[in-house]
Amino acid sequence: MEAPAFPGPLLEDPLGPALPGPCSQPLTPTWDAGETFSDAVGAGCSRQAPRRFPPAEGADPESGHVVPCEVRGVVLARGARSSARACGLLMIPAALLLSSPFAGPAQTRLLADQAGEDFLLCLNLGAYQDALKNSNNLLGHSRFHVMMEDRKTTVGSFHFVYIMILIVGTMVQFSDESEFTVNKSNQGLTRVPKGLPPKTKVLDMSQNHVSELHLSDISFLSQLKVLRLSHNRLQCLDISIFKFNQDLEYLDLSHNQLQKISCHPITNLKHLDLSFNDFDALPICKEFGNLTQLNFLGVSAKKLEPLDLLPIAHLHLSVILLDLKGYYEKEHETESLQILNTKTLHLVFHPNNIFSVRANISVNSLKCLQLNNIKLNDMSCQVFVKFLSQLTRGPNLLNFTLNHVETTWQCLVVVFQFLWLRPVEYLNIYNLTIVESIDEEDFTYPETSLKALTIEHVTNRVFFFTQTALYTVFSEMNIMMLTISDTHFIHMLCPQTTSTFKVLNFTQNVFTDSIFQKCTTLVRLETLILQKNELKDLFKVGLMTKDMPSLEVLDVSWNYLEYDRHDRNCTWVGSIVVLNLSSNALTDSVFSCLPSRVRVLDLHNNKITRIPEDVTGLEALQELNVAFNSLAHLPGCGNLDSLSVLTVDHNSISNPSAHFFESCQKIRSINAGHNPFQCTCELREFIQSIGQVSSGVVEGWPDSYQCDYPGSYKGTLLEDFHVSPLTCNTALLIITIGVTGLVLAVTLTALCVCLDLPWYLRMVCQWAQTRRRARNVPLDKLQRTLQFHAFISYSEHDSAWVKNELVPSLEKEDIQICLHERNFVPGKSIVENIINCIEKSYKSIFVLSPNFVQSEWCHYELYFAHHNLFHEGSDNLILILLEPIPQNNIPSKYHKLKSLMTQRTYLEWPKEKSKRGLFWANIRAAFNVKLILNTEDNDVEM
């Protein structure tokens, strides 16, 4: 098959650079921006008639601007949504150019910045088939790449560079002009408003009520390039008002009430549309001969003269739009018109009149012809055929389109037989209505130049007819490509003899499982598209292909297919390499009923919950699309040894395996976005594995990958989800805790050994407890009988320490001390003095040492103080351990001393001077209460 080519000059678009192509032709299949392969590959997606480019809001859909394109190869068009189809080719959005068969790695990177724009790649079905066999990418839900045997791509690379120049040029120019665009369309204006920005480049005044245009309205817009005044009420116009707009390139005056114009040359004009007005004769002035850059010319007339177009005969126009809605037939007179140089001719007739135009229109070098609004009956059929005989006699005519046709079945067959002998290669019929009756017609199909016939959107007003009468006309055609879509045909006959069909497209009909069963004559068929029909049994679809040995591409998407015949093995032809089963009702069992050599498999939008690990027979599978299903786990490659492209977005995958990239060594593209990811420890390893693969392998990363659970992370991008390694690694957590505990133990041991930490801790605790107890005793109770802050009991052997250390340190803090040698009352017994001093003192301090144990009186004092503790319910004992007292040295009769030393906390006198500050702080804390001592009791001397 020939590589795509770009013959012919370029057609300028007013909002962008030149577009290649000689013709305007609606296309099957059509792929609008944003549609999936399943929606578009069979031309069942866009049903509008070809529209004018660019279309005005509310414009007559039967007469739109032409969308230029190249019939044999690949071209670029802009405006996918507004110009529904162009030229009999596949129209692919720019986003899909990233995965086109003509895009290598470098070109893919270059196209990435343009993927969001509304551009189209036009590709005819022949080139499309070639593309399928040479593609390295999947055009599945978002792309459907096709992988076949390798072929040389030198010519394809040249075409890609050509396309890239057009894209980049258009983008630069369009973004430039968008800054200075003024849209005043459909606002009920009666004149051009004042105060427009002087730098305006694009002015849209369409869909208003403007009846006059003056020089002052636009003369100050010196940079104006595009002016749209369509659908207004202009009746006359002097084109000289544009003499100050030397940059004007695009002027649309269509759909007004113009009857005459005064001409003036506008040297840079590339697009001039005067169609759908009230001109009596073609409004062609001699000044138009100076429009050397003119590419598009739209005119209208009620009568034709042979030399009407003589002033522009030397111009090489790409498109001429001739509006003949108001044309009326002159009795006994045949008019003629000679069109010398144009590549595309678009004629629009009145939609409600029976075709009766007898004018002879001759065209040189015509490549594309489009006729709108053809209404035929058996009587007018020959008039139409005679009219076509002049238009189609040129050897260069490749593409012929009929849009909005109403005809009898007999006349349609006559037109087919007439065109079969013409040089037309691509015939397209859109919005066909069949009236009166459908009877069997005698016809033969001689050898023909026709390669492809497209019939889209058929309304059949005949309700009783035989299948043979209708379907045999199509099944016996000797062409390569046949498209019959959106016709509601219920069946198609198997050709009676070996067929020449290579591509059959029956999108959006009502074919059932009986279609092409046991049909042995489609031996050359390579591509079969049965999208959007009534197919229900996948097993029967497999049987249908059994007798199609050349079949490589099969699209049965958007049907009602199921597979539940587990007791029988599926039968498929072995040549299928591209299989589209998307948008059906298939479950997991589908993996046991697939062609063995399939390389590209589209199963998106089904009811699949898992891909069996033991799946066999898919060793050749390279690209798999299972998006929009119910998969709970990210499938591994398993037995899918050749898998390189995987699409699993919009499923129920929450914890994808971190070992996916290890098991799928050949993966070069995976799309797993828009799944309900659970951001837990298990997901952390998967995120890390993504960071280890090459950039671009994970499609949609990072924007399409977000946390769904837990709620605190919902909406967080996976690349922003971070969790501590300790949280996820149990062994590491245990080791960390053990090491930390060990370090802490060693540190505490070192502190205890080197800094005597336990002693410091014990003393701090005692200080805190003493302060707390002191605060809990009511102050008025303490002040009733107290005369001293403390009574000190000690052994005479320890008196030196008491008098030199203890007493001076306390009395300098204004603490009143009671000592037996200075405060005992003479004449009273020792016991009475002891009791009296203990009762009149806030605290009793006992200096414990081995000498204290040996003193009988010290023991008495301790006994009375302990008795007072229980009797008063207060905490008045302070024990100071001056020297350690071994337990075995305390006599057994001193059981109270043993009991106190085991039950109560005591202060230990430190030998190191550095520790004594804390010792004295603990002592002072015991007296942290301001007491007013009672000095009226003279029994105790102060």
Side-chain angles (χ1 to χ4, degrees), residues 550-607:
S550 301
L551 188 63
E552 296 179 347
V553 180
L554 175 62
D555 181 0
V556 287
S557 60
W558 291 97
N559 281 279
Y560 304 93
L561 289 174
E562 296 179 342
Y563 175 70
D564 54 7
R565 299 195 182 194
H566 302 285
D567 55 328
R568 301 178 64 184
N569 293 327
C570 289
T571 302
W572 293 88
V573 67
S575 58
I576 294 179
V577 292
V578 179
L579 178 60
N580 190 348
L581 296 171
S582 64
S583 300
N584 281 287
L586 297 168
T587 60
D588 305 352
S589 60
V590 68
F591 290 96
S592 61
C593 183
L594 293 172
S596 59
R597 297 182 184 177
V598 64
R599 298 183 184 179
V600 179
L601 177 61
D602 189 351
L603 287 166
H604 85 266
N605 194 25
N606 277 283
K607 299 179 180 180

Side-chain angles (χ1 to χ4, degrees), residues 452-471:
L453 169 64
T454 296
I455 301 177
E456 183 175 331
H457 191 69
V458 175
T459 301
N460 189 358
R461 294 181 182 170
V462 182
F463 301 105
F464 299 99
F465 57 89
T466 63
Q467 289 190 8
T468 305
L470 177 64
Y471 300 135

Side-chain angles (χ1 to χ4, degrees), residues 87 114 223 297 300 316 570 672 678-679 832:
C87 69
Q114 312 299 339
Q223 300 183 33
L297 176 62
S300 58
H316 295 277
C570 289
Q678 292 188 9
C679 290
E832 189 177 358

Side-chain angles (χ1 to χ4, degrees), residues 189-258:
L189 301 176
T190 58
R191 60 172 298 165
V192 177
K194 303 292 185 181
L196 296 176
K199 293 185 178 181
T200 298
K201 293 185 177 181
V202 179
L203 176 59
D204 189 350
M205 287 288 299
S206 61
Q207 302 284 330
N208 282 294
H209 309 298
V210 178
S211 58
E212 293 182 328
L213 196 62
H214 302 285
L215 178 66
S216 59
D217 291 334
I218 58 172
S219 60
F220 63 96
L221 302 176
S222 59
Q223 300 183 33
L224 188 65
K225 290 187 175 182
V226 176
L227 177 59
R228 296 187 181 95
L229 282 164
S230 62
H231 293 85
N232 278 281
R233 299 177 180 178
L234 296 173
Q235 295 183 359
C236 59
L237 180 68
D238 185 354
I239 296 184
S240 64
I241 65 173
F242 302 114
K243 61 185 177 181
F244 296 111
N245 308 107
Q246 293 300 313
D247 292 337
L248 189 63
E249 298 178 357
Y250 182 99
L251 179 59
D252 185 358
L253 296 167
S254 63
H255 295 277
N256 278 279
Q257 301 167 16
L258 290 171

Side-chain angles (χ1 to χ4, degrees), residues 423 485 695 752 898:
S485 65
S695 60
C752 293
K898 286 185 176 181

